[in-house]
Amino acid sequence: MTDLRSALKPAALCGWLCFGLLLGWGLPVVADDVDQDEALALTERGVIRPLQFFIKDALRRYPGRFLEAELEYDDGRYVYELEIVTHDRRVLDLEYDAVTGALLDVDEDD
């Protein structure tokens, strides 16, 4: 009986892992980076707003200096992630919906 029980443990573990994946308990979905050529094409076709729109909005909300931006395709939508440093030296990450222009999230880096 001990041999049968030890033989079934890996099968049971595998079953639970498969069940968890079906329920969405698996690994987090990683966003796909959009390269600059694709970003330009999306902007020119009017699919997404231009990066300058988001830079202006971020600096209007949090005066300081723009550091970098990244465009990703995440959960079925294009998202711009901008990083700025404010005048009081806080580094902020801002996420925008690249299509609507809506500010989705603001996080402060430690």
Side-chain angles (χ1 to χ4, degrees):
M1 181 89 160
T2 307
D3 293 333
L4 180 60
R5 189 175 292 163
S6 63
L8 290 177
K9 283 184 183 178
L13 178 61
C14 181
W16 278 110
L17 288 173
C18 291
F19 180 70
L21 288 173
L22 286 173
L23 292 178
W25 297 342
L27 299 173
V29 176
V30 177
D32 294 321
D33 289 339
V34 177
D35 68 29
Q36 62 189 24
D37 293 330
E38 186 178 355
L40 179 60
L42 289 167
T43 303
E44 288 175 344
R45 290 194 330 251
V47 175
I48 64 172
R49 293 183 180 219
L51 175 59
Q52 194 59 37
F53 169 86
F54 300 102
I55 295 172
K56 281 183 175 181
D57 185 74
L59 294 176
R60 180 184 56 77
R61 292 173 188 259
Y62 303 98
R65 191 167 46 106
F66 167 74
L67 297 176
E68 66 179 340
E70 187 175 292
L71 178 62
E72 295 180 341
Y73 189 73
D74 189 12
D75 290 333
R77 70 176 169 191
Y78 290 101
V79 175
Y80 262 117
E81 294 180 359
L82 277 68
E83 187 174 83
I84 62 169
V85 60
T86 64
H87 289 309
D88 59 353
R89 300 185 184 268
R90 294 183 304 143
V91 177
L92 302 177
D93 293 321
L94 292 84
E95 285 189 10
Y96 286 93
D97 183 306
V99 175
T100 67
L103 180 61
L104 303 173
D105 191 28
V106 179
D107 290 321
E108 186 171 351
D109 284 352
D110 297 327

